[in-house]
Amino acid sequence: MTNIAVLVSGRGSNLQAIIDSIEDGYLKARISVVVSDVKNAYALERAKKHGIEAVFVDPDAFSSREFYEEEVLKALRKHNTELILLAGYMRILGKNLLSAYKNRILNIHPALLPAFPGLHAQKQAFEHGVKVAGCTVHFVNETLDGGAIILQRCVEVREDDTDETLADRILEQEHKIYPEAVKLFVENRLSIEGRKVKILHS
Ligand code: GRF
């Protein structure tokens, strides 16, 4: 079974979706550690409730991102991490972490990339006036929200939407496609060819 580490900074609803898919047998994997850069992130509570090791690594305790990430890497290695999931992790990854886990880091983004990378993607899309919004699971590389795309799901924008109602409906889809993408990864069904990810049939 693949050992997964989930990196979080906040409420952890995507972490919960992964935990639930493991517990209901959809995903055959194990979350061996959840690492947060925010001390009181609710995601840490979620992990503990499910008996998962939850670790806070304080970025302010290190003089540089490199040193901070070394500490994160230590926690990942200690738990034999094979796959890293970013789930609302609000930091850009540095070189060491990226190269230690090349093509083994996934992220969920609440927009149809490459449109609306970065923060508050749902609001950016809403304010731009898009008619179709959505979410993306992608591999993580050195470009922010720029790695090869694994899965995307569309959400139609309604006339009476606010950026918040839209974000809520996008989140529902995030909770579906993230476990789906992780399942493809752990079943070894993803093949990266340049910018394209081929999904192999089981
Ligand atoms: C999600 O919208 C995710 O797409 C984005 O950050 C948010 C995290 O939410 N990267 P949660 O912590 O998983 O509830």
Side-chain angles (χ1 to χ4, degrees):
M1 265 209 273
T2 308
N3 278 324
I4 297 175
V6 186
L7 270 48
V8 297
S9 302
R11 71 188 160 180
S13 70
N14 279 288
L15 165 67
Q16 190 68 54
I18 301 295
I19 293 174
D20 293 345
S21 348
I22 291 174
E23 290 189 350
D24 70 17
Y26 174 76
L27 247 182
K28 308 249 179 304
R30 176 191 307 119
I31 300 178
S32 45
V33 65
V34 170
V35 180
S36 174
D37 64 332
V38 173
K39 190 173 184 189
N40 54 7
Y42 185 59
L44 290 173
E45 299 309 313
R46 294 184 193 263
K48 288 180 203 153
K49 276 187 198 158
H50 291 266
I52 299 167
E53 172 106 18
V55 180
F56 162 56
V57 182
D58 185 358
D60 294 336
F62 300 89
S63 57
S64 70
R65 180 170 77 182
E66 283 66 32
F67 290 137
Y68 160 73
E69 278 197 351
E70 272 311 311
E71 194 64 23
V72 173
L73 260 174
K74 265 190 215 160
L76 301 181
R77 290 194 172 121
K78 182 175 159 206
H79 292 89
N80 301 316
T81 301
E82 299 166 280
L83 168 66
I84 300 175
L85 302 181
L86 307 185
Y89 184 63
M90 301 303 284
R91 277 173 194 275
I92 293 173
L93 301 189
K95 267 196 196 122
N96 294 346
L97 195 49
L98 284 170
S99 65
Y101 283 91
K102 191 170 163 51
N103 295 338
R104 290 190 294 151
I105 310 175
L106 311 188
N107 181 44
I108 176 96
H109 183 75
L112 294 173
L113 292 169
F116 312 115
L119 289 176
H120 312 301
Q122 309 95 320
K123 193 163 196 264
Q124 289 184 53
F126 181 75
E127 286 178 353
H128 193 86
V130 300
K131 300 293 185 190
V132 178
C135 47
T136 304
V137 180
H138 62 91
F139 283 102
V140 174
N141 66 8
E142 53 295 327
T143 311
L144 179 68
D145 298 322
I149 292 170
I150 301 169
L151 289 178
Q152 295 189 298
R153 191 98 357 122
C154 297
V155 172
E156 276 189 37
V157 180
R158 296 177 187 155
E159 291 298 318
D160 61 351
D161 262 331
T162 63
D163 58 335
E164 280 155 12
T165 58
L166 177 62
D168 287 346
R169 289 207 314 291
I170 293 173
L171 191 63
E172 280 173 30
Q173 297 308 315
E174 294 181 38
H175 296 162
K176 292 182 183 157
I177 66 167
Y178 213 0
E180 285 175 28
V182 175
K183 185 178 168 72
L184 292 170
F185 184 96
V186 302
E187 291 178 356
N188 222 353
R189 290 171 56 201
L190 298 176
S191 142
I192 307 179
E193 296 171 19
R195 274 221 54 90
K196 299 200 180 80
V197 177
K198 288 249 160 81
I199 297 176
L200 312 169
H201 292 290
S202 51

PDB file of all heavy atoms in Angstrom, residues 8-16 43 46 86-90 107-111 122 135-136 167 170-171 174-175, ligand 1:
ATOM      1  N   VAL A   8      -0.913  20.380   4.662  1.00  0.00           N
ATOM      2  CA  VAL A   8      -2.102  21.213   4.841  1.00  0.00           C
ATOM      3  C   VAL A   8      -1.733  22.537   5.513  1.00  0.00           C
ATOM      4  O   VAL A   8      -0.660  22.653   6.110  1.00  0.00           O
ATOM      5  CB  VAL A   8      -3.137  20.485   5.726  1.00  0.00           C
ATOM      6  CG1 VAL A   8      -3.632  19.197   5.081  1.00  0.00           C
ATOM      7  CG2 VAL A   8      -2.542  20.189   7.110  1.00  0.00           C
ATOM      8  N   SER A   9      -2.691  23.473   5.438  1.00  0.00           N
ATOM      9  CA  SER A   9      -2.528  24.731   6.191  1.00  0.00           C
ATOM     10  C   SER A   9      -3.827  25.153   6.855  1.00  0.00           C
ATOM     11  O   SER A   9      -3.837  26.118   7.604  1.00  0.00           O
ATOM     12  CB  SER A   9      -2.102  25.874   5.262  1.00  0.00           C
ATOM     13  OG  SER A   9      -0.893  25.591   4.594  1.00  0.00           O
ATOM     14  N   GLY A  10      -4.951  24.484   6.521  1.00  0.00           N
ATOM     15  CA  GLY A  10      -6.221  25.042   6.978  1.00  0.00           C
ATOM     16  C   GLY A  10      -7.263  24.021   7.389  1.00  0.00           C
ATOM     17  O   GLY A  10      -6.977  23.076   8.110  1.00  0.00           O
ATOM     18  N   ARG A  11      -8.475  24.200   6.822  1.00  0.00           N
ATOM     19  CA  ARG A  11      -9.621  23.423   7.342  1.00  0.00           C
ATOM     20  C   ARG A  11      -9.556  21.943   6.988  1.00  0.00           C
ATOM     21  O   ARG A  11     -10.148  21.103   7.653  1.00  0.00           O
ATOM     22  CB  ARG A  11     -10.930  24.035   6.841  1.00  0.00           C
ATOM     23  CG  ARG A  11     -11.140  23.815   5.384  1.00  0.00           C
ATOM     24  CD  ARG A  11     -12.301  24.547   4.786  1.00  0.00           C
ATOM     25  NE  ARG A  11     -12.009  24.563   3.356  1.00  0.00           N
ATOM     26  CZ  ARG A  11     -12.747  25.105   2.444  1.00  0.00           C
ATOM     27  NH1 ARG A  11     -13.844  25.736   2.775  1.00  0.00           N
ATOM     28  NH2 ARG A  11     -12.386  25.040   1.178  1.00  0.00           N
ATOM     29  N   GLY A  12      -8.903  21.596   5.881  1.00  0.00           N
ATOM     30  CA  GLY A  12      -8.669  20.185   5.602  1.00  0.00           C
ATOM     31  C   GLY A  12      -9.843  19.390   5.072  1.00  0.00           C
ATOM     32  O   GLY A  12      -9.913  18.176   5.263  1.00  0.00           O
ATOM     33  N   SER A  13     -10.744  20.044   4.328  1.00  0.00           N
ATOM     34  CA  SER A  13     -11.867  19.255   3.804  1.00  0.00           C
ATOM     35  C   SER A  13     -11.400  18.279   2.712  1.00  0.00           C
ATOM     36  O   SER A  13     -11.956  17.183   2.579  1.00  0.00           O
ATOM     37  CB  SER A  13     -12.993  20.151   3.296  1.00  0.00           C
ATOM     38  OG  SER A  13     -12.613  20.813   2.118  1.00  0.00           O
ATOM     39  N   ASN A  14     -10.381  18.651   1.960  1.00  0.00           N
ATOM     40  CA  ASN A  14      -9.859  17.700   0.964  1.00  0.00           C
ATOM     41  C   ASN A  14      -9.127  16.548   1.640  1.00  0.00           C
ATOM     42  O   ASN A  14      -9.213  15.402   1.198  1.00  0.00           O
ATOM     43  CB  ASN A  14      -8.963  18.407  -0.047  1.00  0.00           C
ATOM     44  CG  ASN A  14      -9.776  19.093  -1.125  1.00  0.00           C
ATOM     45  OD1 ASN A  14     -10.349  18.431  -1.983  1.00  0.00           O
ATOM     46  ND2 ASN A  14      -9.862  20.421  -1.049  1.00  0.00           N
ATOM     47  N   LEU A  15      -8.417  16.851   2.721  1.00  0.00           N
ATOM     48  CA  LEU A  15      -7.810  15.777   3.511  1.00  0.00           C
ATOM     49  C   LEU A  15      -8.909  14.807   3.957  1.00  0.00           C
ATOM     50  O   LEU A  15      -8.765  13.588   3.842  1.00  0.00           O
ATOM     51  CB  LEU A  15      -7.106  16.368   4.742  1.00  0.00           C
ATOM     52  CG  LEU A  15      -6.745  15.365   5.839  1.00  0.00           C
ATOM     53  CD1 LEU A  15      -5.669  14.387   5.369  1.00  0.00           C
ATOM     54  CD2 LEU A  15      -6.300  16.082   7.123  1.00  0.00           C
ATOM     55  N   GLN A  16     -10.021  15.385   4.444  1.00  0.00           N
ATOM     56  CA  GLN A  16     -11.126  14.540   4.910  1.00  0.00           C
ATOM     57  C   GLN A  16     -11.647  13.649   3.783  1.00  0.00           C
ATOM     58  O   GLN A  16     -11.942  12.468   3.998  1.00  0.00           O
ATOM     59  CB  GLN A  16     -12.258  15.431   5.441  1.00  0.00           C
ATOM     60  CG  GLN A  16     -13.347  14.661   6.163  1.00  0.00           C
ATOM     61  CD  GLN A  16     -12.851  14.059   7.466  1.00  0.00           C
ATOM     62  OE1 GLN A  16     -12.315  14.778   8.311  1.00  0.00           O
ATOM     63  NE2 GLN A  16     -13.007  12.754   7.635  1.00  0.00           N
ATOM     64  N   ALA A  43      -7.263  20.889   9.977  1.00  0.00           N
ATOM     65  CA  ALA A  43      -6.846  19.639   9.320  1.00  0.00           C
ATOM     66  C   ALA A  43      -6.095  18.722  10.291  1.00  0.00           C
ATOM     67  O   ALA A  43      -6.224  17.500  10.226  1.00  0.00           O
ATOM     68  CB  ALA A  43      -5.980  19.961   8.113  1.00  0.00           C
ATOM     69  N   ARG A  46      -8.580  16.837  12.301  1.00  0.00           N
ATOM     70  CA  ARG A  46      -9.203  15.783  11.492  1.00  0.00           C
ATOM     71  C   ARG A  46      -8.307  14.549  11.461  1.00  0.00           C
ATOM     72  O   ARG A  46      -8.765  13.426  11.599  1.00  0.00           O
ATOM     73  CB  ARG A  46      -9.429  16.263  10.057  1.00  0.00           C
ATOM     74  CG  ARG A  46     -10.445  17.374   9.917  1.00  0.00           C
ATOM     75  CD  ARG A  46     -10.611  17.635   8.419  1.00  0.00           C
ATOM     76  NE  ARG A  46     -11.314  18.853   8.113  1.00  0.00           N
ATOM     77  CZ  ARG A  46     -12.613  18.934   7.829  1.00  0.00           C
ATOM     78  NH1 ARG A  46     -13.366  17.847   7.833  1.00  0.00           N
ATOM     79  NH2 ARG A  46     -13.162  20.094   7.519  1.00  0.00           N
ATOM     80  N   LEU A  86      -0.770  17.822  -1.676  1.00  0.00           N
ATOM     81  CA  LEU A  86      -0.976  19.161  -1.136  1.00  0.00           C
ATOM     82  C   LEU A  86      -2.483  19.364  -1.072  1.00  0.00           C
ATOM     83  O   LEU A  86      -3.192  19.151  -2.065  1.00  0.00           O
ATOM     84  CB  LEU A  86      -0.347  20.222  -2.045  1.00  0.00           C
ATOM     85  CG  LEU A  86       1.134  20.013  -2.409  1.00  0.00           C
ATOM     86  CD1 LEU A  86       1.650  21.206  -3.218  1.00  0.00           C
ATOM     87  CD2 LEU A  86       1.981  19.797  -1.163  1.00  0.00           C
ATOM     88  N   ALA A  87      -2.965  19.726   0.096  1.00  0.00           N
ATOM     89  CA  ALA A  87      -4.410  19.904   0.257  1.00  0.00           C
ATOM     90  C   ALA A  87      -4.640  21.198   1.032  1.00  0.00           C
ATOM     91  O   ALA A  87      -4.724  21.197   2.252  1.00  0.00           O
ATOM     92  CB  ALA A  87      -5.007  18.706   0.981  1.00  0.00           C
ATOM     93  N   GLY A  88      -4.648  22.292   0.277  1.00  0.00           N
ATOM     94  CA  GLY A  88      -4.789  23.588   0.921  1.00  0.00           C
ATOM     95  C   GLY A  88      -3.520  23.997   1.640  1.00  0.00           C
ATOM     96  O   GLY A  88      -3.563  24.710   2.637  1.00  0.00           O
ATOM     97  N   TYR A  89      -2.388  23.550   1.116  1.00  0.00           N
ATOM     98  CA  TYR A  89      -1.088  23.908   1.697  1.00  0.00           C
ATOM     99  C   TYR A  89      -0.662  25.230   1.073  1.00  0.00           C
ATOM    100  O   TYR A  89      -0.510  25.315  -0.154  1.00  0.00           O
ATOM    101  CB  TYR A  89      -0.081  22.804   1.390  1.00  0.00           C
ATOM    102  CG  TYR A  89       1.280  22.983   2.010  1.00  0.00           C
ATOM    103  CD1 TYR A  89       1.443  22.990   3.385  1.00  0.00           C
ATOM    104  CD2 TYR A  89       2.413  23.097   1.210  1.00  0.00           C
ATOM    105  CE1 TYR A  89       2.707  23.123   3.960  1.00  0.00           C
ATOM    106  CE2 TYR A  89       3.682  23.213   1.767  1.00  0.00           C
ATOM    107  CZ  TYR A  89       3.811  23.231   3.140  1.00  0.00           C
ATOM    108  OH  TYR A  89       5.066  23.343   3.695  1.00  0.00           O
ATOM    109  N   MET A  90      -0.482  26.258   1.901  1.00  0.00           N
ATOM    110  CA  MET A  90      -0.341  27.612   1.374  1.00  0.00           C
ATOM    111  C   MET A  90       1.106  28.048   1.144  1.00  0.00           C
ATOM    112  O   MET A  90       1.412  29.231   1.216  1.00  0.00           O
ATOM    113  CB  MET A  90      -1.042  28.604   2.315  1.00  0.00           C
ATOM    114  CG  MET A  90      -2.512  28.323   2.501  1.00  0.00           C
ATOM    115  SD  MET A  90      -3.426  28.314   0.937  1.00  0.00           S
ATOM    116  CE  MET A  90      -3.510  30.072   0.649  1.00  0.00           C
ATOM    117  N   ASN A 107      -1.463  18.190  -6.391  1.00  0.00           N
ATOM    118  CA  ASN A 107      -2.159  19.330  -5.779  1.00  0.00           C
ATOM    119  C   ASN A 107      -3.560  19.417  -6.351  1.00  0.00           C
ATOM    120  O   ASN A 107      -3.807  19.002  -7.484  1.00  0.00           O
ATOM    121  CB  ASN A 107      -1.396  20.631  -6.096  1.00  0.00           C
ATOM    122  CG  ASN A 107      -2.046  21.847  -5.467  1.00  0.00           C
ATOM    123  OD1 ASN A 107      -2.459  21.815  -4.294  1.00  0.00           O
ATOM    124  ND2 ASN A 107      -2.173  22.926  -6.228  1.00  0.00           N
ATOM    125  N   ILE A 108      -4.460  19.952  -5.535  1.00  0.00           N
ATOM    126  CA  ILE A 108      -5.815  20.253  -6.024  1.00  0.00           C
ATOM    127  C   ILE A 108      -5.957  21.765  -6.078  1.00  0.00           C
ATOM    128  O   ILE A 108      -5.568  22.468  -5.138  1.00  0.00           O
ATOM    129  CB  ILE A 108      -6.888  19.616  -5.111  1.00  0.00           C
ATOM    130  CG1 ILE A 108      -8.311  19.997  -5.546  1.00  0.00           C
ATOM    131  CG2 ILE A 108      -6.713  19.995  -3.644  1.00  0.00           C
ATOM    132  CD1 ILE A 108      -8.974  19.001  -6.402  1.00  0.00           C
ATOM    133  N   HIS A 109      -6.468  22.248  -7.214  1.00  0.00           N
ATOM    134  CA  HIS A 109      -6.621  23.698  -7.389  1.00  0.00           C
ATOM    135  C   HIS A 109      -8.068  23.995  -7.790  1.00  0.00           C
ATOM    136  O   HIS A 109      -8.614  23.327  -8.678  1.00  0.00           O
ATOM    137  CB  HIS A 109      -5.645  24.184  -8.476  1.00  0.00           C
ATOM    138  CG  HIS A 109      -5.706  25.662  -8.662  1.00  0.00           C
ATOM    139  ND1 HIS A 109      -5.153  26.542  -7.757  1.00  0.00           N
ATOM    140  CD2 HIS A 109      -6.301  26.423  -9.622  1.00  0.00           C
ATOM    141  CE1 HIS A 109      -5.384  27.786  -8.163  1.00  0.00           C
ATOM    142  NE2 HIS A 109      -6.077  27.736  -9.291  1.00  0.00           N
ATOM    143  N   PRO A 110      -8.672  25.016  -7.177  1.00  0.00           N
ATOM    144  CA  PRO A 110     -10.098  25.261  -7.433  1.00  0.00           C
ATOM    145  C   PRO A 110     -10.393  26.109  -8.664  1.00  0.00           C
ATOM    146  O   PRO A 110     -11.177  27.061  -8.614  1.00  0.00           O
ATOM    147  CB  PRO A 110     -10.552  25.967  -6.147  1.00  0.00           C
ATOM    148  CG  PRO A 110      -9.343  26.711  -5.707  1.00  0.00           C
ATOM    149  CD  PRO A 110      -8.154  25.890  -6.116  1.00  0.00           C
ATOM    150  N   ALA A 111      -9.757  25.778  -9.778  1.00  0.00           N
ATOM    151  CA  ALA A 111     -10.060  26.435 -11.059  1.00  0.00           C
ATOM    152  C   ALA A 111      -9.647  25.491 -12.173  1.00  0.00           C
ATOM    153  O   ALA A 111      -8.927  24.518 -11.936  1.00  0.00           O
ATOM    154  CB  ALA A 111      -9.301  27.759 -11.185  1.00  0.00           C
ATOM    155  N   GLN A 122     -11.363  30.806  -7.234  1.00  0.00           N
ATOM    156  CA  GLN A 122     -12.815  30.796  -7.505  1.00  0.00           C
ATOM    157  C   GLN A 122     -13.317  32.228  -7.686  1.00  0.00           C
ATOM    158  O   GLN A 122     -14.136  32.512  -8.556  1.00  0.00           O
ATOM    159  CB  GLN A 122     -13.589  30.146  -6.342  1.00  0.00           C
ATOM    160  CG  GLN A 122     -13.075  28.796  -5.905  1.00  0.00           C
ATOM    161  CD  GLN A 122     -12.113  28.906  -4.728  1.00  0.00           C
ATOM    162  OE1 GLN A 122     -11.281  29.811  -4.669  1.00  0.00           O
ATOM    163  NE2 GLN A 122     -12.198  27.948  -3.814  1.00  0.00           N
ATOM    164  N   CYS A 135     -12.395  22.618 -11.188  1.00  0.00           N
ATOM    165  CA  CYS A 135     -11.207  22.320 -10.377  1.00  0.00           C
ATOM    166  C   CYS A 135     -10.283  21.368 -11.128  1.00  0.00           C
ATOM    167  O   CYS A 135     -10.696  20.708 -12.088  1.00  0.00           O
ATOM    168  CB  CYS A 135     -11.610  21.739  -9.023  1.00  0.00           C
ATOM    169  SG  CYS A 135     -12.837  20.430  -9.099  1.00  0.00           S
ATOM    170  N   THR A 136      -9.057  21.321 -10.651  1.00  0.00           N
ATOM    171  CA  THR A 136      -7.996  20.577 -11.343  1.00  0.00           C
ATOM    172  C   THR A 136      -7.127  19.841 -10.331  1.00  0.00           C
ATOM    173  O   THR A 136      -6.734  20.427  -9.320  1.00  0.00           O
ATOM    174  CB  THR A 136      -7.060  21.573 -12.093  1.00  0.00           C
ATOM    175  OG1 THR A 136      -7.836  22.377 -12.988  1.00  0.00           O
ATOM    176  CG2 THR A 136      -5.961  20.850 -12.866  1.00  0.00           C
ATOM    177  N   ALA A 167     -17.838  28.739  -5.068  1.00  0.00           N
ATOM    178  CA  ALA A 167     -16.718  28.033  -4.428  1.00  0.00           C
ATOM    179  C   ALA A 167     -17.221  26.766  -3.730  1.00  0.00           C
ATOM    180  O   ALA A 167     -16.557  25.720  -3.761  1.00  0.00           O
ATOM    181  CB  ALA A 167     -16.020  28.950  -3.429  1.00  0.00           C
ATOM    182  N   ILE A 170     -17.766  24.126  -6.336  1.00  0.00           N
ATOM    183  CA  ILE A 170     -16.460  23.650  -6.832  1.00  0.00           C
ATOM    184  C   ILE A 170     -15.867  22.682  -5.803  1.00  0.00           C
ATOM    185  O   ILE A 170     -15.357  21.613  -6.152  1.00  0.00           O
ATOM    186  CB  ILE A 170     -15.500  24.833  -7.108  1.00  0.00           C
ATOM    187  CG1 ILE A 170     -16.019  25.666  -8.280  1.00  0.00           C
ATOM    188  CG2 ILE A 170     -14.081  24.323  -7.386  1.00  0.00           C
ATOM    189  CD1 ILE A 170     -15.235  26.967  -8.523  1.00  0.00           C
ATOM    190  N   LEU A 171     -15.977  23.054  -4.522  1.00  0.00           N
ATOM    191  CA  LEU A 171     -15.397  22.217  -3.460  1.00  0.00           C
ATOM    192  C   LEU A 171     -16.002  20.805  -3.468  1.00  0.00           C
ATOM    193  O   LEU A 171     -15.284  19.817  -3.290  1.00  0.00           O
ATOM    194  CB  LEU A 171     -15.599  22.883  -2.095  1.00  0.00           C
ATOM    195  CG  LEU A 171     -14.827  22.280  -0.921  1.00  0.00           C
ATOM    196  CD1 LEU A 171     -13.308  22.396  -1.132  1.00  0.00           C
ATOM    197  CD2 LEU A 171     -15.212  22.963   0.402  1.00  0.00           C
ATOM    198  N   GLU A 174     -14.166  19.026  -5.965  1.00  0.00           N
ATOM    199  CA  GLU A 174     -12.790  18.752  -5.512  1.00  0.00           C
ATOM    200  C   GLU A 174     -12.755  17.463  -4.712  1.00  0.00           C
ATOM    201  O   GLU A 174     -11.861  16.631  -4.869  1.00  0.00           O
ATOM    202  CB  GLU A 174     -12.271  19.899  -4.630  1.00  0.00           C
ATOM    203  CG  GLU A 174     -12.085  21.210  -5.352  1.00  0.00           C
ATOM    204  CD  GLU A 174     -11.540  22.295  -4.418  1.00  0.00           C
ATOM    205  OE1 GLU A 174     -10.693  21.991  -3.559  1.00  0.00           O
ATOM    206  OE2 GLU A 174     -11.975  23.452  -4.552  1.00  0.00           O
ATOM    207  N   HIS A 175     -13.759  17.328  -3.841  1.00  0.00           N
ATOM    208  CA  HIS A 175     -13.784  16.151  -2.957  1.00  0.00           C
ATOM    209  C   HIS A 175     -13.998  14.867  -3.737  1.00  0.00           C
ATOM    210  O   HIS A 175     -13.767  13.783  -3.211  1.00  0.00           O
ATOM    211  CB  HIS A 175     -14.876  16.335  -1.898  1.00  0.00           C
ATOM    212  CG  HIS A 175     -14.607  17.492  -0.993  1.00  0.00           C
ATOM    213  ND1 HIS A 175     -15.551  18.088  -0.214  1.00  0.00           N
ATOM    214  CD2 HIS A 175     -13.449  18.187  -0.774  1.00  0.00           C
ATOM    215  CE1 HIS A 175     -15.011  19.092   0.468  1.00  0.00           C
ATOM    216  NE2 HIS A 175     -13.733  19.176   0.136  1.00  0.00           N
TER     217      HIS A 175
HETATM  218  C1  GRF B   1      -9.304  24.066  -1.712  1.00  0.00           C
HETATM  219  O1  GRF B   1     -10.202  24.898  -2.382  1.00  0.00           O
HETATM  220  C2  GRF B   1      -8.175  23.658  -2.622  1.00  0.00           C
HETATM  221  O2  GRF B   1      -8.571  23.537  -3.948  1.00  0.00           O
HETATM  222  C3  GRF B   1      -7.212  24.803  -2.470  1.00  0.00           C
HETATM  223  O3  GRF B   1      -7.288  25.167  -1.121  1.00  0.00           O
HETATM  224  C4  GRF B   1      -8.556  24.800  -0.596  1.00  0.00           C
HETATM  225  C5  GRF B   1      -8.288  23.924   0.582  1.00  0.00           C
HETATM  226  O4  GRF B   1      -9.468  23.576   1.263  1.00  0.00           O
HETATM  227  N1  GRF B   1      -5.895  24.409  -2.906  1.00  0.00           N
HETATM  228  P1  GRF B   1      -9.431  22.437   2.350  1.00  0.00           P
HETATM  229  O5  GRF B   1      -8.393  22.855   3.401  1.00  0.00           O
HETATM  230  O6  GRF B   1      -9.086  21.158   1.697  1.00  0.00           O
HETATM  231  O7  GRF B   1     -10.819  22.425   2.941  1.00  0.00           O
END
